[in-house]
Amino acid sequence: MIKNGLRSAHSIALATLAALVVAISSATPAFPQEVRTVAPVCWPGPSEKGERSVAPSLGSGDRIALRVYQQPDLSGEFRVRDDGSVSLPLIGTVPAAGLKVGALERMVAERANTLSGRRLSVSIEVVEWRPVFVLGHVERPGPTPFVPGMTALKAIASVGGLFRLTAGGGAAVDLSREAARLGIANEERKQNLARLARLQAQMEGDRFLRPPQRLLTIESPQRAEEIIEREEEVLQQQTLSYDAEIRARDEMLLLVSEQIDAMLGQHVHTLTEIEIANKELARMENLVQRGLGRRGDLFTIQRIVAGLEADERELTARTARAKAELITAQRDRELLSIARQLELRREVNAVESALASNELVVAYSRRVIEDMTNLALEAEDENRIDRVDVEIVRESEAGVLVIEGGLNNKLCPGDVLKVTPYSDY
């Protein structure tokens, strides 16, 4: 039997690893119910005595080979996607998860026959099944490739066998490695706390940084100041760059505004000249009608009026373009501030996410170091596990099957195998 400390330590490790696998793998979904039952043999063919034989269903991550006779454009290898479908050339997207290979073969054949207008020979075989996940009291918990006929014992062997911890060099190496991991995660946590303080200061428009309280709780004031100083340099550089960009845009706004004012003044002057020229034109037309003026002078004045009017139209168009440029420049000036806030918010979210990960790693590593230290002491008296309990969690049409049995239980693709030290209570 294993001492209580060993059972406790590996129960914690089992729970943590199970949570990680559920979070990262679509092959281990969360099901609405659990049914405890006898394990069916997960492979077609002659059943062993007292066992039921069922063909495994396809699932996300399986890789299949499609062969359509004399149709190379339709043939190839394809992987079942996370949504349970498989995308086939020309045929399109076909639901695959939950289907037996034969059922998928018939479905694809029907679509191929409809598409081609003739009967085609279609075959499908599984090239690679989705992995089995081995958790708990093993050397390398995690996914392992599934092979037909795989038993719980074979799956445990494929991940390095049962977990062993002794008071010798192996334990010291593991403790050293975990301590190094803890140190790295802790340093990253401090850097992320300083980075988060800098980003929050930028969002609030502050130009100076102070060590946040969270950093001071895990680091000395002097060291916290050193960490903050690096981020403060970044703050000053980015603030100067942003201020320079704002000044450039403000200067552009001022320049365009001055151009518009100048054109408006020129426009008023041109209208005045047009008014004077029109009066002179009217006077000259009156003189010509009375025979007191020359037509050449009249034509000259008419050309002057026409030129002034053309200048006025061009000036009006230029003023309108300048006003449009001013509106665009004002909008860009406003968008620059908005874009900066959005970018800072995205960075804050990323840093907060990284910080949360750091916190988890630090807490987990501390617990592991503590447990491994205790286990190393206990291993001086007891370092062998004679028996383990295995439990298989399997998705089925009836829900989740929780199968309790021995090491010779056969596994299905996507099964989760939990290995725990033997307990008689």
Side-chain angles (χ1 to χ4, degrees):
M1 294 304 150
I2 305 303
K3 293 182 181 291
N4 291 336
L6 183 58
R7 285 196 295 267
S8 174
H10 290 293
S11 296
I12 295 170
L14 175 60
T16 304
L17 289 168
L20 288 174
V21 169
V22 170
I24 65 174
S25 172
S26 59
T28 313
F31 302 109
Q33 59 179 350
E34 290 187 353
V35 179
R36 295 187 178 268
T37 183
V38 178
V41 178
C42 190
W43 207 257
S47 299
E48 299 181 14
K49 184 177 180 181
E51 292 182 321
R52 294 179 291 114
S53 175
V54 294
S57 299
L58 293 167
S60 300
D62 292 340
R63 186 159 58 91
I64 63 173
L66 169 65
R67 302 286 182 266
V68 183
Y69 181 66
Q70 293 185 341
Q71 296 291 329
D73 292 342
L74 298 180
S75 302
E77 292 188 0
F78 310 94
R79 189 172 294 278
V80 180
R81 298 185 296 195
D82 291 342
D83 62 359
S85 67
V86 59
S87 180
L88 304 176
L90 302 180
I91 295 176
T93 300
V94 178
L99 297 180
K100 303 294 189 289
V101 174
L104 179 62
E105 192 175 90
R106 290 190 295 273
M107 180 187 299
V108 172
E110 291 176 1
R111 295 199 181 187
N113 293 339
T114 303
L115 181 66
S116 64
R118 57 194 178 92
R119 189 173 186 82
L120 299 176
S121 175
V122 175
S123 66
I124 294 178
E125 63 179 1
V126 178
V127 178
E128 178 185 343
W129 291 96
R130 58 197 180 277
V132 167
F133 293 88
V134 185
L135 309 178
H137 197 78
V138 293
E139 283 292 335
R140 298 189 302 274
T144 186
F146 174 83
V147 293
M150 174 178 275
T151 63
L153 180 60
K154 292 178 180 178
I156 293 172
S158 69
V159 294
L162 296 177
F163 177 78
R164 288 290 187 271
L165 179 64
T166 68
V173 171
D174 289 339
L175 282 171
S176 177
R177 185 182 299 115
E178 197 62 41
R181 182 186 181 201
L182 173 60
I184 293 172
N186 210 25
E187 284 302 313
E188 290 180 352
R189 177 173 62 159
K190 296 171 187 176
Q191 298 297 332
N192 282 325
L193 284 171
R195 190 171 296 115
L196 181 61
R198 187 253 300 170
L199 292 170
Q200 291 173 340
Q202 286 180 285
M203 293 187 67
E204 296 171 2
D206 293 339
R207 294 178 178 271
F208 300 98
L209 285 182
R210 292 178 299 276
Q213 187 60 38
R214 289 174 66 185
L215 180 58
L216 291 172
T217 59
I218 60 175
E219 190 56 272
S220 65
Q222 181 178 357
R223 175 59 179 157
E225 287 288 351
E226 293 175 358
I227 298 173
I228 283 294
E229 282 178 4
R230 291 195 291 269
E231 289 298 326
E232 191 165 22
E233 291 177 2
V234 176
L235 172 63
Q236 298 300 331
Q237 293 172 358
Q238 292 187 354
T239 299
L240 290 175
S241 177
Y242 177 72
D243 289 346
E245 180 69 17
I246 290 294
R247 283 196 302 271
R249 292 182 181 271
D250 288 341
E251 289 172 0
M252 177 61 69
L253 286 172
L254 180 60
L255 179 60
V256 174
S257 297
E258 290 175 349
Q259 289 177 344
I260 291 174
D261 291 340
M263 285 186 288
L264 290 175
Q266 188 177 352
H267 187 263
V268 172
H269 180 70
T270 302
L271 290 176
T272 301
E273 289 185 337
I274 291 173
E275 183 179 359
I276 293 173
N278 280 328
K279 289 180 179 179
E280 182 62 21
L281 178 60
R283 188 183 68 81
M284 183 56 67
E285 287 175 346
N286 183 44
L287 292 175
V288 170
Q289 289 176 359
R290 291 164 55 191
L292 300 177
R294 295 181 303 174
R295 288 191 173 275
D297 295 337
L298 178 61
F299 293 152
T300 299
I301 296 175
Q302 287 176 337
R303 285 195 297 272
I304 291 173
V305 171
L308 290 172
E309 290 176 343
D311 291 343
E312 190 273 335
R313 289 192 295 272
E314 173 64 21
L315 193 57
T316 300
R318 287 170 53 196
T319 303
R321 288 194 295 270
K323 288 181 178 179
E325 291 177 4
L326 179 62
I327 293 173
T328 300
Q330 290 172 335
R331 182 192 60 195
D332 292 344
R333 169 66 170 77
E334 295 173 357
L335 289 178
L336 179 64
S337 176
I338 296 174
R340 183 170 187 263
Q341 289 295 318
L342 291 176
E343 179 61 27
L344 289 173
R345 171 48 58 187
R346 282 193 291 268
E347 290 187 42
V348 166
N349 292 340
V351 172
E352 287 178 341
S353 177
L355 190 56
S357 178
N358 296 149
E359 299 282 0
L360 287 175
V361 172
V362 167
Y364 178 75
S365 292
R366 285 175 175 169
R367 176 63 66 85
V368 169
I369 290 173
E370 179 183 350
D371 291 343
M372 291 178 71
T373 301
N374 294 334
L375 288 174
L377 297 175
E378 294 180 359
E380 294 178 0
D381 299 325
E382 184 175 359
N383 61 2
R384 294 193 58 181
I385 302 282
D386 295 325
R387 294 182 61 185
V388 292
D389 291 329
V390 296
E391 185 177 78
I392 302 169
V393 181
R394 176 177 302 164
E395 176 185 7
S396 72
E397 295 178 357
V400 177
L401 301 181
V402 180
I403 304 161
E404 298 176 345
L407 295 174
N408 290 324
N409 276 5
K410 292 186 177 180
L411 304 178
C412 291
D415 278 356
V416 176
L417 176 64
K418 299 180 180 179
V419 183
T420 56
Y422 175 77
S423 174
D424 55 1
Y425 60 89

